[in-house]
Amino acid sequence: VAFLVAFHQNKQLIGDRGLLPCRVLLKNFRQYFQDKTSWEVFSYMPTILWLTDWSDTNSTLDSLALLGLGISSFVLITGCANMLLMAALWGLYMSLVNVGHVWYSFGWESQLLETGFLGIFLCPLWTLSRLPQHTPTSRIVLWGFRWLIFRIMFGAGLIKIRGDRCWRDLTCMDFHYETQPVPNPVSYYLHHSPWWFHRFEILSTHFIELLVPFFLFLGRRACIIHGALQILFQAILIVSGNLSFLNWLTMVPSLACFDDATLGFLFPSGPGSLKDRVLQMQREIGGARPKPRFGSVVRRAANVSLGILLAWLSVPVVLNLLSPIQVMNTHFNSLHIVNTYGAFGSITKERTEVILQGTASPNASAPDAVWEDYEFKCKPGDPSRRPCLISPYHYRLDWLMWFASFQTYEHNDWILHLAGKLLASDAEALSLLAHNPFASRPPPRWVRGEHYRYKFSRPGGRHAAEGKWWVRKRIGAYFPPLSLEELRPYFRDRGWPLPQPL
């Protein structure tokens, strides 16, 4: 899914003519570190793009995404993988994350990289087999996954207790469903749940995130209960909102809480089945120690090295967890191997949205100027449009528009780049949107950003009876009407290509 999102959106976001071209980032980075060696620059920001020609980054980004999509699809469909394939997936996605600007600044990017890095060590060195006979799962790798899920959940619990007061007075869920980045249809109904249900949700969240993680260290049964509760919790979060592939991904390390005896009932047990072959392997090996093989020796050495590396890199993460000024969703190394996590440490109490509008009027200030709304793929816009349901897919621009709505356009200069592209009816930028009011007409002469406050309509109320999911009220201007000519110096100063009107 991550590589599919990259293939569909990277050109528009970080490509040659993207909203934040990665070529500009790479050039600025090289200029800043001009007195450093190539290896020092690469190690600070490892990405395959350092080794490519920057004259056509669109092709390079597409190639990385398609290669990753092909390898991951092969692993998914066949159930076969080795360390080389898994390392390739990790390296390909890290190459995209490290040049992804703010579009790849979400916690689940680092979480996917850390999960993928651990996944390398689950597999044989080069054999491709669904049931490799000489590749027993290392306890070091299992505890690596358990340590990952512990940090994810306990970090999320601590940031809530230390963060917004509403988590302590049990009122955060009164606002969360309405103000989360991209609500889904279920969010609408959960928002209108009784007050006592919202209090129960928060108490359950504190239990799952602050107490249940310690079940990992209390023996086999407690560990199994931990895994089951965490997977159930993530499934509930998937139903209640569009949090990209975060919750699907968080289920993965929870699988390390289960052993074969626990998961056996999920597999058929007929002659020749996977379960039958596993049992046969166990009978053949018995208590005998298998003769060492070259691949097994290499893999055992790699696992021991992994354990030492995880312990070393966990030191700043543990210190961050213990710190009263805990930072969430941060990586302490350029490889994103051991990271710190957290979610919704603060909750916004009201929802605001930036609505982009265009007009064909020659005078933007004229009282008779007709302003028409652009619609995004998923974020709230037209009050009558039903909230979308897209998880595990991810619309990166929609998410950044949510952040931009409670900041200013000075903090998000890419939004003016987007405005310039709309003024030119740029096809790449428009592919990120759901509706272009000027689709069959000349481009708008002016584009502006309007700031609105949004609230869910009340079920059974007047607005709901009119088919409206949202009720909105204008706050004021987000940025003033702009023409393409006015943006020319702004684009030039940032090294962005000026869009050419059709």
Side-chain angles (χ1 to χ4, degrees):
V1 172
F3 282 116
L4 184 65
V5 172
F7 178 66
H8 283 163
Q9 301 177 33
N10 272 358
K11 293 185 293 295
Q12 300 91 318
L13 299 176
I14 60 175
D16 291 319
R17 302 182 65 85
L19 296 179
L20 290 173
C22 66
R23 180 199 299 150
V24 175
L25 173 69
L26 291 167
K27 288 181 177 178
N28 292 341
F29 198 88
R30 175 178 285 175
Q31 183 178 2
Y32 182 77
F33 287 93
Q34 57 185 351
D35 58 336
K36 302 290 186 181
T37 65
S38 298
W39 170 248
E40 287 177 305
V41 176
F42 183 86
S43 62
Y44 194 86
M45 190 176 74
T47 175
I48 295 174
L49 271 77
W50 286 122
L51 311 176
T52 64
D53 179 12
W54 299 346
S55 63
D56 186 7
T57 55
N58 279 0
S59 297
T60 303
L61 293 171
D62 275 353
S63 299
L64 297 180
L66 286 173
L67 184 58
L69 188 59
I71 296 174
S72 56
S73 297
F74 170 80
V75 173
L76 178 67
I77 294 170
T78 66
C80 303
N82 57 32
M83 296 182 77
L84 301 179
L85 288 180
M86 297 300 287
L89 287 174
W90 174 71
L92 288 169
Y93 200 66
M94 180 177 61
S95 294
L96 297 177
V97 170
N98 283 336
V99 298
H101 281 285
V102 294
W103 313 109
Y104 282 81
S105 60
F106 308 109
W108 53 75
E109 314 296 354
S110 293
Q111 187 176 326
L112 178 56
L113 287 173
E114 183 172 353
T115 306
F117 183 79
L118 291 172
I120 297 172
F121 298 86
L122 280 177
C123 307
L125 184 57
W126 48 65
T127 305
L128 282 176
S129 170
R130 294 186 65 195
L131 188 62
Q133 296 189 16
H134 304 286
T135 313
T137 303
S138 168
R139 289 187 176 273
I140 293 175
V141 180
L142 283 178
W143 277 103
F145 278 110
R146 291 172 184 175
W147 176 228
L148 171 59
I149 189 63
F150 177 87
R151 284 182 286 116
I152 291 171
M153 302 312 299
F154 193 57
L158 286 179
I159 202 71
K160 290 181 176 66
I161 291 297
R162 291 167 171 164
D164 202 316
R165 182 176 178 178
C166 67
W167 287 113
R168 299 189 294 276
D169 61 24
L170 309 183
T171 59
C172 273
M173 298 308 291
D174 295 344
F175 313 99
H176 168 70
Y177 293 117
E178 184 177 69
T179 62
Q180 65 179 309
V182 184
N184 68 16
V186 179
S187 309
Y188 175 85
Y189 297 102
L190 288 174
H191 174 70
H192 295 289
S193 300
W195 67 269
W196 55 265
F197 182 75
H198 290 319
R199 305 300 182 270
F200 170 75
E201 288 178 305
I202 297 177
L203 290 173
S204 301
T205 299
H206 289 332
F207 173 71
I208 292 290
E209 294 182 343
L210 290 171
L211 295 179
V212 170
F214 290 94
F215 287 14
L216 286 167
F217 312 107
L218 300 180
R220 176 179 178 269
R221 290 185 179 180
C223 190
I224 292 172
I225 292 172
H226 170 277
L229 288 176
Q230 296 297 1
I231 290 176
L232 176 62
F233 183 56
Q234 298 307 316
I236 293 172
L237 295 178
I238 289 170
V239 171
S240 67
N242 290 303
L243 297 176
S244 182
F245 49 77
L246 171 64
N247 306 119
W248 302 84
L249 177 63
T250 306
M251 291 182 179
V252 174
S254 298
L255 297 177
C257 300
F258 307 111
D259 53 22
D260 288 356
T262 308
L263 298 177
F265 77 95
L266 297 173
F267 299 89
S269 55
S273 66
L274 191 65
K275 184 191 294 187
D276 183 57
R277 289 160 58 197
V278 170
L279 293 174
Q280 184 178 349
M281 284 173 54
Q282 292 175 341
R283 286 192 295 268
E284 290 175 356
I285 295 175
R289 192 178 186 88
K291 184 178 178 180
R293 299 162 60 93
F294 175 72
S296 300
V297 172
V298 172
R299 190 166 176 274
R300 188 174 296 116
N303 289 332
V304 172
S305 302
L306 172 68
I308 297 172
L309 178 65
L310 293 180
W312 172 254
L313 295 179
S314 293
V315 173
V317 174
V318 172
L319 294 177
N320 180 69
L321 284 174
L322 297 176
S323 171
I325 51 173
Q326 175 192 358
V327 179
M328 66 179 188
N329 296 329
T330 300
H331 58 274
F332 295 98
N333 58 84
S334 59
L335 299 179
H336 301 259
I337 294 178
V338 181
N339 313 291
T340 179
Y341 302 102
F344 294 107
S346 61
I347 296 292
T348 52
K349 306 304 188 293
E350 65 177 23
R351 179 177 205 92
T352 58
E353 292 288 346
V354 178
I355 304 300
L356 300 183
Q357 300 176 332
T359 182
S361 173
N363 184 0
S365 303
D368 60 345
V370 178
W371 292 91
E372 300 175 77
D373 292 0
Y374 289 88
E375 284 289 335
F376 286 74
K377 299 275 190 181
C378 206
K379 89 173 192 70
D382 179 1
S384 299
R385 191 177 67 165
R386 178 180 63 84
C388 66
L389 182 61
I390 55 164
S391 178
Y393 197 76
H394 179 36
Y395 291 119
R396 298 188 181 278
L397 177 60
D398 290 51
W399 266 75
L400 265 294
M401 289 295 293
W402 179 76
F403 284 103
S405 69
F406 48 83
Q407 297 171 338
T408 65
Y409 70 88
E410 288 93 347
H411 294 101
N412 302 274
D413 55 358
W414 53 265
I415 202 169
L416 295 188
H417 198 173
L418 176 59
K421 289 179 174 293
L422 298 182
L423 286 164
S425 287
D426 182 83
E428 275 193 355
L430 287 169
S431 69
L432 296 172
L433 305 184
H435 172 64
N436 171 23
F438 300 89
S440 56
R441 298 148 52 191
R445 296 189 180 187
W446 303 88
V447 165
R448 70 181 184 184
E450 292 288 278
H451 215 178
Y452 282 85
R453 181 178 294 108
Y454 274 67
K455 293 182 67 69
F456 275 135
S457 64
R458 183 171 54 84
R462 176 173 61 87
H463 295 95
E466 295 172 353
K468 294 181 178 179
W469 292 78
W470 298 96
V471 179
R472 74 180 188 182
K473 182 179 180 181
R474 183 178 183 273
I475 301 173
Y478 185 78
F479 63 81
L482 297 170
S483 68
L484 196 55
E485 189 61 31
E486 288 177 316
L487 288 173
R488 187 181 298 275
Y490 192 84
F491 279 42
R492 185 177 58 248
D493 291 345
R494 286 158 178 76
W496 298 339
L498 187 72
Q500 298 301 321
L502 296 176

